[in-house]
Amino acid sequence: MTDKLLESIIEGIKDKKGENISILDLRGIDGSLCDYFVICDANNTTQTEAIADSIWDRVHDDLGEKPIHDEGRQNGVWILLDYHDVIIHIFHRPTRHFYSIETLWNDAVRTDIENED
């Protein structure tokens, strides 16, 4: 199930031209919140919202799942979708650079997804 969930999430991000997609595998880290983080960024807050909507729709259509938690839409600079085993972080690019959450989880196995031009 998690592999299909990750595929649907990635496709939802790509559908709205999300960039710099990274998957952090947290399964080997004690005390981690979930199995995976998926992180991407967008050029503006309108795009962060569109990416969140695209992921929500894609996962629901593909797997019939809804996030158990959805936050950050009021300002759109950092939207979080929680699917229990997978948490997605959708950042406005400057916010992603400021928080740099990948460095907080640098023990995780990281997979970067190529941007599509």
Side-chain angles (χ1 to χ4, degrees), residues 93-111:
R93 190 165 294 116
T95 305
R96 181 177 184 175
H97 290 294
F98 179 80
Y99 285 103
S100 189
I101 66 170
E102 295 95 330
T103 60
L104 298 174
W105 296 93
N106 62 1
D107 291 346
V109 175
R110 180 176 173 165
T111 304

Side-chain angles (χ1 to χ4, degrees), residues 5 27 60 75 96 98 105:
L5 178 58
R27 293 176 295 177
H60 187 262
N75 62 22
R96 181 177 184 175
F98 179 80
W105 296 93

Side-chain angles (χ1 to χ4, degrees), residues 62-98:
D62 290 353
L63 304 171
E65 299 288 327
K66 296 179 185 177
I68 59 173
H69 193 69
D70 179 341
E71 71 179 64
R73 290 179 183 261
Q74 51 283 25
N75 62 22
V77 296
W78 182 355
I79 298 175
L80 181 140
L81 300 175
D82 183 346
Y83 284 92
H84 188 58
D85 292 336
V86 181
I87 297 176
I88 304 109
H89 301 272
I90 308 159
F91 285 101
H92 180 227
R93 190 165 294 116
T95 305
R96 181 177 184 175
H97 290 294
F98 179 80

